[in-house]
Amino acid sequence: MKHLPKKRFGQNFLIDQAIIQSLVNAIDPKPDDLMVEIGPGLGALTQPLLKHLNHLHVVEIDRDIIDWMQDFYPKGRITIHASDVLKFDFSKLGSKIRVAGNLPYNISSPILFHLLEQLAHITDMHFMLQKEVVERMVAKPSTPEYGRLSVMLQYRLHMEYLLTVPPEAFDPPPKVESAFVRCVPHAQLPFKAADEALFGRVVLAAFSQRRKTIRNTLKSFLNDDDFAEIKIGSQLRAENLSVEDYVAITNYLNHRISA
Ligand code: SAM
């Protein structure tokens, strides 16, 4: 169909067939998978995915694309959810959901945080994102890329950087390089926060001023005696602490609150 890409919906359509094939190979769809594609657009991934799947759910916001899809795809093979993915309740589709998509980059972090709330229903996720975002997702402590996104996602997910994708693979080409990432929820959390809302608040406070020490950014939570007790140096900065450290702080605080 004739379609002018809409910037406000982050529409950069994949056009490189070799890359599309590598993405589908990485996703490895099986006929009976309960798969949801976020942002199917003009079908660059949808159509090759459908070759392997009996059925596919898609979540799309663009009315023009939704109207086109309704005529284009054979009835029964695809369920079109005309919705903003940030408001979409994945759990209503069932459990063991596989999620995939070339995401709209302008809202990629909100989408990731939205999916974090629905992980109980999700088996795995494969996403195309800005390369810089994927680097932040998989970053190790004490690196410039390591931040709140790394901690919050690594707490719940095992992630693999799969492939770097150049701007020319898209039409129109985005201004930045892209990368494809696999995210699999931990079967069992390696480090479990007793209070996950508190964990989120501690991580947020620590990274609120990256350059400052945690003695400073976490002063509303911990004093010098607390740091000594947890055995985490108060002169460290947020980026020096591992997921395990943030969980240790949270559980120390949680224990103190309940005592
Ligand atoms: N999958 C297609 C491809 O690879 O060529 C399109 C990818 S394009 C980067 C992002 C897609 O997400 C577009 O189809 C866009 O309309 C859709 N989209 C943007 N914002 C959305 C939202 N909030 N909810 C659902 N879909 C959205």
Side-chain angles (χ1 to χ4, degrees), residues 9-14 37 39-41 60-61 83-85 102 104 107:
F9 290 146
Q11 292 181 349
N12 299 95
F13 299 112
L14 272 165
E37 185 190 358
E60 176 59 63
I61 199 168
S83 166
D84 178 348
V85 66
N102 169 18
I107 52 163

Side-chain angles (χ1 to χ4, degrees), residues 3 6 8-15 20 23 37-46 59-62 65 81 83-87 101-107 111 128 170-171:
H3 178 80
K6 294 174 187 148
R8 69 178 183 283
F9 290 146
Q11 292 181 349
N12 299 95
F13 299 112
L14 272 165
I15 50 167
I20 292 169
L23 307 186
E37 185 190 358
I38 299 173
L42 303 178
L45 280 172
T46 319
V59 184
E60 176 59 63
I61 199 168
D62 185 334
I65 291 179
H81 301 273
S83 166
D84 178 348
V85 66
L86 296 176
K87 299 194 178 123
N102 169 18
L103 298 186
Y105 294 173
N106 48 345
I107 52 163
I111 294 177
M128 181 79 78
F170 303 83
D171 179 33

Side-chain angles (χ1 to χ4, degrees), residues 40-214:
L42 303 178
L45 280 172
T46 319
Q47 295 180 43
L49 284 173
L50 270 174
K51 290 201 176 119
H52 299 265
L53 295 164
N54 294 329
H55 183 267
L56 175 64
H57 291 268
V58 297
V59 184
E60 176 59 63
I61 199 168
D62 185 334
R63 240 358 301 173
D64 296 333
I65 291 179
I66 293 162
D67 290 345
W68 166 77
M69 284 195 293
Q70 268 153 357
D71 292 334
F72 183 78
Y73 292 107
K75 299 265 171 297
R77 296 291 316 284
I78 188 166
T79 302
I80 301 166
H81 301 273
S83 166
D84 178 348
V85 66
L86 296 176
K87 299 194 178 123
F88 188 72
D89 175 11
F90 286 77
S91 68
K92 71 180 180 193
L93 303 180
S95 56
K96 302 204 178 136
I97 302 171
R98 304 193 67 201
V99 185
N102 169 18
L103 298 186
Y105 294 173
N106 48 345
I107 52 163
S108 54
S109 291
I111 294 177
L112 294 170
F113 278 100
H114 178 62
L115 286 161
L116 275 188
E117 289 162 19
Q118 323 218 12
L119 282 189
H121 307 270
I122 293 174
T123 302
D124 64 15
M125 308 186 278
H126 288 83
F127 294 132
M128 181 79 78
L129 291 160
Q130 281 184 43
K131 181 179 169 212
E132 177 244 318
V133 172
V134 177
E135 284 171 346
R136 278 166 41 210
M137 290 163 74
V138 303
K140 299 270 174 281
S142 303
T143 63
E145 293 78 22
Y146 187 74
R148 176 173 170 245
L149 189 70
S150 329
V151 177
M152 296 309 290
L153 295 186
Q154 291 173 23
Y155 174 73
R156 293 215 160 268
L157 301 168
H158 173 74
M159 288 173 289
E160 257 176 282
Y161 185 118
L162 296 174
L163 187 74
T164 304
V165 181
E168 311 80 73
F170 303 83
D171 179 33
K175 290 198 177 67
V176 290
E177 280 197 300
S178 302
F180 199 55
V181 64
R182 174 181 295 137
C183 311
V184 181
H186 295 303
Q188 208 146 27
L189 294 182
F191 309 102
K192 171 95 180 87
D195 178 341
E196 289 179 348
L198 179 60
F199 173 75
R201 288 204 300 280
V202 169
V203 176
L204 184 66
F207 282 101
S208 61
Q209 287 163 298
R210 247 190 115 82
R211 297 278 122 226
K212 297 211 165 150
T213 63
I214 51 171

